[in-house]
Amino acid sequence: MDYLLTEEQIMIRDLARQIAVEKIVPVRAELDEQNKFPRDIMKAIAQADLYALFIPEEYGGLGKKSLELCITVEELSKACVGVATTYASSALGTYPILLYGSEEQKKKFLPDVATGKSLVAFGLTEANAGSDASGIQTTAKLEGNEYVLNGTKQWITNGGEAELYTIIAITDKSKGPRGASAFIVEKGTPGFTFGKKENKMGIRASSTTELIFNDCRIPKENLISKQGMGFIIAMKTLDSSRTGVGAMGVGVAQGAIDEAISFAKNRVQFGQPITSFQAIQHMFADMQTQTEAARSLVYSVARYIDSGAKDFSRASAMAKLFGTDVSMKVTTDAVQIMGGSGYMKEYPVEKMMRDAKILQIFEGANQIQRNVIALDMIREATRAK
Amino acid sequence: MHIIVLVKQVPDTSEVKINRETNTLIRDGVPSIINPYDRYAIEEALRLREKHGGKVTAVTMGPPQAAEALKEAVSLGADDVVLLSDRAFAGADTWATSYALSQGIRKIGDFDLVIAGKQAIDGDTAQVGPETADMLGIPFVAYIRKIERVEGKKMVAERLMDEGYDVVETSLPALITVVKEINEPRVPSLKGKMKAKSLKVTAWTAADIGSDENKIGLRGSPTQVVRIFPPTPRGQREILSGNVEEQVASLAKKLKEQSLI
């Protein structure tokens, strides 16, 4: 399939692919096995200017958009979703500043994000606030020129590794969802520490920790937009980044197909390669068709967002939902085709299958995506009357 | 610090096949790449520049399409490139190549260090580095696995040997060749790739570098390739197991079976 990418988009894809092949594939099993953060790979990604991709030119970036980010994330995910998550989470954490930050905040923080000096994390989830983000209990109280943060964020990607954290906290409990605000917290701020590193089923190269705020004082200039905008900022951030999770699904699905087909061509049973069996052929046909359909949707939604559209909530939810459901199915089938070998750690597909699972869960569980899609459909139907 | 890197464009040997009838390499459709050892040379030059400041110039001799190798060097971070390209250079062996390169380097002018890969994966001679140093009249050190320090006009480096390594001090300018143990080459940067894409590489001809026509190309080459052939494939091999007595018995049995004893 030709997606009519520009010469520059192809250049970006080839560069991400080169990083995947040269820097990620040789170490992915070790990173997975040892729960090891991919510091050297992040350095290579920074050196290749890929962090600059999603930062506007006036802040030292390259000013590329969703499609370029999706292409990059897809290529990285073909090799390792743990690495891709680490990279993509930096974009996720940066969106609140990109979308709602002041000129001063952008000037202060974005250039270091572009060079890769600052990795970023997004802190929304808490023990009692998962799919129901309104359950947030972390508080931020204005005292003089500072906000004082208290509470604990849970399962935060890039926790401990990132330099910058965009945090959603409650500034006025009486206002419900309208009482949340978004803040920028720098690593090293007194009162800001990290909990234990989580031991996960998949994406084990990525770091996941608690963020603990204990009378953590940050300058009031670190409030993003206005008080009360936290929930809107969080939702817009997730709307903008979700397509990228769909792209991760497309990447890991394609990675699993590529592994399975090169294995199956050489795997002989009943005196012939198993690719000669129609049972296997039809599985491959379905896997590739689903993956291509997911890729088409992801690219189309990314292009729609890049066209300047505002109403892309449903579209990005569909890209996330479909891309990640496909990835779970395709990686599971890849393990099935490879049989016992697929189940062993000598081959990468069992890891791909474990990695794919998180894509259906994080950045809005796929059940929540269905809510978003259906509610938007109903709203539209109601308006049409 | 001005560092010159010598690069060579080679066929990707992992893709090359041999024509069994003519015993020559089938180069058609084989992608060209930068000689892998030269990627370590480029990386080391970039690291030295990052540490000491200055600039990196990549130099190659080859047909016009060798400009692609120079563009790749730019995508990795090289500041400047020089392509030596002229029909008169064609058919050059290592001696004539080294002559052209040394003339090109003279024309570039001031430099502190020349770095090249230890050898090219197509010819595998490892001669162009030392010959070029000799023609430039500067010190040559092969097989560098680590540059310890550069201080003014002096450099201390580790030279990889069969057993262990030597610590070598050399005056600068010098020419060194590097082994793969020296670093891990980076991937290109997006800004570098964009710069490389719009780069116009102009070639220096034999006349531009003031070369003696008897010293370049086929005419300047004292060696000739008479025949190219692949090594004869090894026959089937088998490693015998067991203790010495068992192995001897097994070997004797097999030799008898083949009527060799």
Side-chain angles (χ1 to χ4, degrees), chain B residues 166-181:
Chain B
D166 297 336
V167 177
V168 183
E169 184 184 303
T170 175
S171 62
L172 295 179
L175 191 153
I176 62 171
T177 58
V178 297
V179 292
K180 67 177 177 5
E181 287 77 4

Side-chain angles (χ1 to χ4, degrees), chain B residues 240-251:
Chain B
L240 303 175
S241 57
N243 61 34
V244 177
E245 285 78 19
E246 287 163 358
Q247 288 184 42
V248 170
S250 166
L251 177 63

Side-chain angles (χ1 to χ4, degrees), chain A residues 7-8 11-12 15 18-19 22-23 47-49 53 62, chain B residues 39 50 184-194 197:
Chain A
E7 226 176 293
E8 195 173 86
M11 191 189 276
I12 292 166
L15 182 56
Q18 191 179 355
I19 291 174
E22 289 182 19
K23 307 284 179 189
Q47 213 163 36
D49 297 327
L53 213 58
L62 292 164
Chain B
R39 278 189 71 187
E50 278 156 13
E184 202 194 316
R186 70 192 63 189
V187 293
S189 72
L190 209 45
K191 287 175 192 166
K193 283 183 88 134
M194 288 171 180
K197 201 181 140 228

Side-chain angles (χ1 to χ4, degrees), chain A residues 28-46:
Chain A
R28 65 182 169 191
E30 180 193 329
L31 297 173
D32 175 59
E33 196 86 9
Q34 298 173 9
N35 220 0
K36 201 162 127 193
F37 189 76
R39 211 156 279 128
D40 292 345
I41 298 171
M42 289 303 123
K43 214 177 125 192
I45 288 174

